[in-house]
Amino acid sequence: MTLKPKLANLERRIGYQFEDPALLLQALTHRSFGATNNERLEFIGDGLVNAVVAMLLFSAHPSLDEGSLSRLRSKLVSKDGLAVIAKRFDLGSLLQLGTGERKSGGRHRDSILADAVEAIAGAILVETDFGRASAIVSQWFVEGVASLDTTSTRDAKTLLQEWLQGKGYALPQYTVVSVTGEDHNQQFEVSCHSDVGDLVTYGRASSRKKAEQAAAHDLLEILINE
């Protein structure tokens, strides 16, 4: 099959037919192929994809806070998340790659596939407008949004707080026990204390926030398994 019918099949899969096919071809062209490539389209496509996914999540999960929504979005717009969409569209077989990238397996590299997804989104935005491009690109993520496990997005501190509040207990208290190491390589030890059984757990990590999460995780494990 020649390239033209392959691009037409791709347009059916992405839900948009380009008035200028050269724009789609550019979106599929890696920088290793030549000076005219998809990097600029990827730049604006990245912004569109993030905005579209944010709106989908905002509408689908009205009870989730900002942190949870951000973590869900990260899953969908990450290199791995976008590569899933690229493989659904069979972009690998259509990528325009330089000889080196082609020989080293660039058609199957998630980072290159993810960039191509963003570039296609950017190309649609260039040829249409934000409203239409958003409507088209949002369809790419509907399935992914529906299949997300929202229970795993909440961090340990949030889950611990919800567990304690649900049982009518006071919130836990976090205290920095020690900070050791040089400024560029510090280790924080934090305690997490709960009135439930007067329990105390400890977490160690390279930042206070991570240490608090570790301590909260351990305390939650104890409480749940009592």
Side-chain angles (χ1 to χ4, degrees):
M1 185 183 294
T2 61
L3 185 59
K4 188 173 180 180
K6 287 183 179 180
L7 292 179
N9 287 337
L10 174 59
E11 288 176 325
R12 283 191 286 273
R13 290 193 291 271
I14 66 176
Y16 178 74
Q17 183 173 355
F18 281 86
E19 294 179 14
D20 180 8
L23 198 57
L24 175 57
L25 189 60
Q26 182 181 344
L28 295 167
T29 303
H30 188 256
R31 64 177 178 272
S32 63
F33 192 81
T36 301
N37 55 60
N38 63 9
E39 287 188 327
R40 282 172 55 83
L41 293 173
E42 176 201 337
F43 170 73
I44 60 170
D46 174 71
L48 175 62
V49 165
N50 274 275
V52 163
V53 172
M55 283 301 300
L56 285 173
L57 292 170
F58 184 83
S59 299
H61 302 289
S63 64
L64 293 184
D65 60 20
E66 178 193 5
S68 296
L69 290 172
S70 294
R71 284 185 286 276
L72 286 175
R73 180 175 62 178
S74 294
K75 287 186 178 182
L76 292 173
V77 304
S78 67
K79 174 185 67 177
D80 295 339
L82 292 175
V84 170
I85 292 175
K87 291 167 185 175
R88 189 197 312 158
F89 292 158
D90 193 25
L91 295 188
S93 65
L94 297 171
L95 292 174
Q96 304 293 297
L97 302 171
T99 302
E101 282 292 352
R102 195 165 59 249
K103 289 182 177 180
S104 65
R107 295 192 187 282
H108 309 290
R109 190 168 297 126
D110 284 355
S111 58
I112 293 178
L113 291 168
D115 289 347
V117 171
E118 292 179 335
I120 293 172
I124 295 172
L125 179 57
V126 166
E127 194 168 85
T128 58
D129 55 55
F130 188 82
R132 188 177 179 195
S134 296
I136 293 164
V137 173
S138 67
Q139 293 304 307
W140 305 352
F141 294 93
V142 169
E143 181 180 332
V145 168
S147 64
L148 284 172
D149 177 10
T150 58
T151 60
S152 65
T153 65
R154 292 171 293 177
D155 57 53
K157 288 180 67 176
T158 301
L159 290 170
L160 175 59
Q161 177 178 316
E162 291 177 351
W163 190 93
L164 291 169
Q165 287 179 322
K167 302 289 186 179
Y169 296 121
L171 296 180
Q173 299 297 316
Y174 297 93
T175 305
V176 176
V177 177
S178 66
V179 181
T180 57
E182 301 296 329
D183 289 346
H184 65 282
N185 189 29
Q186 290 184 323
Q187 283 289 310
F188 292 77
E189 183 176 16
V190 173
S191 66
C192 178
H193 172 262
S194 172
D195 291 339
V196 185
D198 204 27
L199 291 170
V200 180
T201 55
Y202 297 87
R204 287 182 61 85
S206 57
S207 72
R208 176 176 177 171
K209 182 180 293 186
K210 289 180 180 178
E212 289 177 348
Q213 292 288 352
H217 175 272
D218 288 350
L219 183 58
L220 184 61
E221 286 290 307
I222 294 172
L223 291 172
I224 289 175
N225 293 309
E226 273 192 338

